[in-house]
Amino acid sequence: MVDHRLSEEYEALRESVQTFARKEVAPVIGEYYEREEFPYPLVEAMGRMGLFGLPIPEEYGGMGGDYFALCLALEELARVDSSVAITLEAGVSLGIMPIYRFGTDEQRRTWLPRLARGEVLGAFGLTEPGGGSDAGATRTTAVLDGDEWVINGSKAFITNSGTDITGFVTVTAVTGQRPDGSKEISAIIVPAGTPGFTVAKKYSKVGWSASDTHELSFDNCRVPAANLLGERGRGYAQFLATLTEGRVAIAALGVGLAQGCVDECLRYVGEREAFGRTIGEYQAIQFKLADMELRAHTARLAYYDAASRMLRGEPYKKEAAIAKLVSSNAAMDNARDATQIFGGYGFMNETPVGRFYRDAKILEIGEGTSEVQRMLIARELGLRA
Ligand SMILES: Cc1cc2nc3c(=O)[nH]c(=O)nc-3n(C[C@H](O)[C@H](O)[C@H](O)COP(=O)(O)OP(=O)(O)OC[C@H]3O[C@@H](n4cnc5c(N)ncnc54)[C@H](O)[C@@H]3O)c2cc1C
């Protein structure tokens, strides 16, 4: 049976995040964005609301919800601002989920309660300066020396990796060679402040300006052997699973941005006048808004579908890639149309649509570029290169 209505619990969560986004995020986020400053008070507030712990069981300090609940929260946040939304998205999907899904019991008990309360952020370092799409080409190495891993290498564009509350970065590294000659890749937890682990100055970005992104380097960085995430040699499979799940979350974030464009424009076209009438009375503007609503709506259905397959335990790789692709296209197209509808004001940083325009592009790049999504969809159709 097909039923896309939200249950009362999902609806209550959606409404409470919407209220938070409109009342607490919207009035202040523009200034953080302009100053390229991480919004600690907002992250703290999201922690108090339990948003970081949404898909984590109560025994680890979470809310006992599921990944779809996280997606709903992300959509409502991104409807107002994407820097705050990506901080939550990366915090959960890249910081928390690998520990929850693949960590040892000890690692879960050490990290999950504080992560779930938003007191500590975890990051995930997969991309390297030499390339992100070809994630198997990892050059960072980790060599076991007695009961310690010695890590050397660098990672690029890592979200939440340099805040005052960053607790660790899980990094992928080559830990050996398999019998067939391919690389053995493992994931290792590196706590913030470990000697030899350096966080470079934050990047100055085109968008997501109030989120935290750094290049990281590891120079004979030693961590206990027990910091291996789950099993040795499982790093590649772990990050593939992490990214598949993350795509659904990023799709929700894109839908939020696309819907936020509709929200802003609906208000504006009823106020702005040109040639003696409000611009909302012109059919050219109405058609733009109809197309924008259509994109947000279809992208939402795509991520609902991927998320429901995920929750039912069915294969959802293709649907996750489709959702991410549809949603990032919707976000880009809506941001462009919204900026056009706002005219000159749309090009000003202080208007939300100005931010939406700058924030939309990364959705076609992060957690797998649009080309990578097409590669995944083609592969799921049985096509081989
Ligand atoms: C703000 C921001 C935050 C990020 N956060 C994180 C994070 O927290 N953790 C993390 O690990 N990474 C993170 N990333 C990295 C991100 O995931 C990568 O940028 C992305 O995967 C693309 O990798 P790349 O930049 O190296 O591009 P490349 O892989 O070098 O790709 C360059 C271009 O070539 C295309 N291309 C590559 N291979 C093919 C092919 N086979 N066929 C056709 N086209 C191809 C790509 O689609 C792209 O258009 C972040 C990036 C940004 C900008």
Side-chain angles (χ1 to χ4, degrees):
M1 193 175 108
V2 179
D3 186 352
H4 290 300
R5 285 171 304 176
L6 299 180
S7 69
E8 273 179 32
E9 279 163 329
Y10 284 141
E11 190 53 39
L13 169 76
R14 202 187 62 76
E15 279 174 21
S16 74
V17 178
Q18 183 178 82
T19 305
F20 168 73
R22 290 185 178 170
K23 295 215 162 124
E24 296 186 44
V25 178
V28 299
I29 194 62
E31 288 177 22
Y32 283 105
Y33 199 90
E34 218 168 287
R35 294 195 300 264
E36 300 190 4
E37 185 183 324
F38 190 74
Y40 287 101
L42 297 176
V43 174
E44 240 176 81
M46 291 197 291
R48 281 195 302 274
M49 288 171 75
L51 301 188
F52 286 93
L54 275 174
I56 302 300
E58 289 169 18
E59 64 166 311
Y60 294 114
M63 301 289 279
D66 56 37
Y67 209 82
F68 182 59
L70 170 71
C71 292
L72 290 175
L74 290 170
E75 183 185 333
E76 287 303 328
L77 285 172
R79 217 166 145 172
V80 169
D81 177 69
S82 289
S83 294
V84 171
I86 190 59
T87 301
L88 177 66
E89 194 278 338
V92 181
S93 95
L94 302 177
I96 297 180
M97 294 313 279
I99 304 278
Y100 172 55
R101 294 239 185 271
F102 314 114
T104 61
D105 200 47
E106 168 77 18
Q107 288 162 350
R108 288 170 157 199
R109 296 204 180 280
T110 303
W111 292 110
L112 289 179
R114 283 179 293 156
L115 288 165
R117 288 195 296 270
E119 292 167 9
V120 159
L121 287 173
F124 192 75
L126 172 65
T127 307
E128 302 199 345
S133 303
D134 184 6
T138 303
R139 286 190 199 151
T140 297
T141 57
V143 176
L144 202 52
D145 179 25
D147 58 0
E148 287 181 330
W149 289 105
V150 185
I151 306 171
N152 281 290
S154 49
K155 297 287 173 181
F157 314 129
I158 308 305
T159 306
N160 289 339
S161 61
T163 72
D164 296 347
I165 55 170
T166 299
F168 65 87
V169 179
T170 305
V171 293
T172 51
V174 179
T175 49
Q177 206 178 31
R178 296 183 187 286
D180 66 0
S182 64
K183 290 174 177 173
E184 176 198 84
I185 297 177
S186 305
I188 299 172
I189 302 166
V190 183
T194 304
F197 167 25
T198 309
V199 180
K201 190 170 154 290
K202 71 175 183 212
Y203 295 97
S204 172
K205 307 189 290 282
V206 169
W208 285 357
S209 297
S211 77
D212 180 80
T213 325
H214 298 263
E215 183 166 331
L216 311 176
S217 60
F218 303 88
D219 182 14
N220 287 322
C221 173
R222 289 177 170 268
V223 297
N227 284 22
L228 181 72
L229 183 74
E231 279 172 56
R232 181 171 176 161
R234 296 289 298 155
Y236 194 72
Q238 289 167 348
F239 71 65
L240 287 186
T242 299
L243 293 180
T244 303
E245 202 170 67
R247 272 175 201 130
V248 185
I250 289 284
L253 200 151
V255 170
L257 191 155
Q259 194 68 56
C261 291
V262 177
D263 297 342
E264 289 298 320
C265 288
L266 275 181
R267 187 183 50 72
Y268 191 70
V269 302
E271 293 166 1
R272 182 71 173 175
E273 290 187 4
F275 301 96
R277 53 174 80 168
T278 58
I279 59 172
E281 290 173 64
Y282 295 112
Q283 202 174 44
I285 299 276
Q286 292 178 0
F287 278 14
K288 261 199 175 59
L289 266 156
D291 285 345
M292 289 163 69
E293 176 67 11
L294 173 154
R295 294 180 198 121
H297 180 79
T298 45
R300 181 175 300 108
L301 292 179
Y303 99 71
Y304 276 25
D305 175 52
S308 58
R309 285 169 195 267
M310 175 206 293
L311 295 187
R312 287 197 301 268
E314 294 170 7
Y316 69 102
K317 252 191 221 163
K318 184 180 73 180
E319 289 75 14
I322 288 174
K324 195 209 170 225
L325 197 48
V326 172
S327 155
S328 50
N329 286 344
M332 273 297 277
D333 290 345
N334 281 14
R336 191 191 56 238
D337 282 352
T339 304
Q340 192 66 20
I341 287 175
F342 267 69
Y345 290 111
F347 200 60
M348 297 298 117
N349 277 329
E350 73 253 28
T351 59
V353 296
R355 264 189 285 125
F356 291 153
Y357 191 75
R358 290 167 62 187
D359 291 340
K361 181 61 203 170
I362 180 61
L363 297 171
E364 296 187 317
I365 299 169
E367 297 202 32
T369 63
S370 297
E371 291 74 21
V372 166
Q373 306 310 318
R374 290 188 170 90
M375 279 158 61
L376 291 169
I377 296 165
R379 208 173 291 155
E380 289 296 308
L381 291 175
L383 300 168
R384 291 284 174 266

